[in-house]
Structure formats: C-alpha cells, structure tokens
C-alpha cells in the first residue's frame, strides 16, 4: 500500500476538483515544481492510487433521465473479477464496495426505463 504524504494528498485533492488541471497550475497550487507534480502523478498512477480520470457532469445536464442504485451480492471470492466486468458498463456512473448483505453498490444512469431494464439484464448475466 502506497503511503500518501501531504503533497500527495493535496495533489489528489486538487485533481478531484479539476482532473484536467495543467501541471503548471497544479505546481502553483501546491507550491512545488512541475517536475515534482509530474513525478508524483507518475508514482500515484503506478502505485494504483490514481486509477483513472473521469468527467463529472452537472445534475440534469445530460440526457439520462433514469437514475438508480443497484445492490449487488457476489458469491464466493470473485468480487475483483465482477468489479472489472462492471467497469465496462458505461451506464454505471459509480461503483462502491460495501459489507453486510450486499457486496457492491452500483449507481446507474440511463435515458429510459427500457434502457434500465436492458442494463439489469446484462448485470444478471455477469457470473
């Protein structure tokens, strides 16, 4: 497990605000050199701390009209495999692990109830 220091934590926080911020802006914000930002970004990505960059949209600004939460139970120890498969579902906007009766919580956004039904059908076919 990669241990984050203060600069790492502030870099991740800045990227959560603006994942497209240029390195020069990040270096000014953090008070460190551009080389430091580049090196830290590379290490955080290589260590798996940063697993990707995404786009957040303003609520209601997309065509998706159906917003749902699906609670998913995984049998056995296949959670990592199931997560990898679910990451390919473009309709799943967020995926969370949890404990208790359910193993995963998927946030789903689609345009219609028919689309939602289709996503549920695909979810049910994930082994």
């Amino acid at each position: 497990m990669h241990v984050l220091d203060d600069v790492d934590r502030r870099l991740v926080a800045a990227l959560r605000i603006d994942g497209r911020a240029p390195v020069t802006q990040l270096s000014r914000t953090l008070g460190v050199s551009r080389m430091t930002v580049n090196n830290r970004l590379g290490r955080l990505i290589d260590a798996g701390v940063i697993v990707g960059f995404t786009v957040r949209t303003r609520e209601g600004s997309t065509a998706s009209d159906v917003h749902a939460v699906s609670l998913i139970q995984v049998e056995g120890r296949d959670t990592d495999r199931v997560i990898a498969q679910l990451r390919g579902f473009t309709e799943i906007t967020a995926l969370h692990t949890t404990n208790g009766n359910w193993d995963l919580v998927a946030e789903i956004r689609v345009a219609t109830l028919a689309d939602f039904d289709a996503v549920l059908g695909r979810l049910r076919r994930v082994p």
Side-chain angles (χ1 to χ4, degrees):
M1 175 178 222
H2 186 83
V3 178
L4 302 181
D5 66 10
D6 182 59
V7 174
D8 291 333
R9 283 189 294 277
R10 291 188 300 128
L11 176 57
V12 170
L15 288 170
R16 283 186 176 138
I17 293 167
D18 182 1
R20 292 181 41 159
V23 170
T24 53
Q25 179 183 333
L26 292 168
S27 69
R28 276 192 303 262
T29 299
L30 301 175
V32 298
S33 72
R34 289 178 303 179
M35 181 183 272
T36 298
V37 171
N38 280 324
N39 288 339
R40 296 294 181 113
L41 269 173
R43 283 196 322 220
L44 291 169
I45 291 167
D46 290 345
V49 174
I50 296 176
V51 295
F53 298 86
T54 188
V55 173
R56 295 182 327 195
T57 58
R58 183 175 314 285
E59 188 71 35
S61 66
T62 62
S64 299
D65 293 324
V66 178
H67 304 194
V69 172
S70 181
L71 304 173
I72 302 167
Q73 184 177 29
V74 179
E75 293 182 15
R77 297 181 181 262
D78 291 334
T79 305
D80 290 338
R81 182 189 50 74
V82 171
I83 289 171
Q85 284 188 268
L86 296 182
R87 292 221 186 271
F89 284 57
T90 57
E91 303 88 351
I92 296 178
T93 59
L95 190 60
H96 310 279
T97 58
T98 185
N99 60 2
N101 292 335
W102 307 102
D103 300 298
L104 301 171
V105 177
E107 296 179 39
I108 301 169
R109 290 182 186 233
V110 292
T112 67
L113 287 174
D115 293 337
F116 179 63
D117 189 52
V119 170
L120 289 180
R122 288 176 35 224
L123 278 172
R124 290 183 182 115
R125 287 190 296 274
V126 172

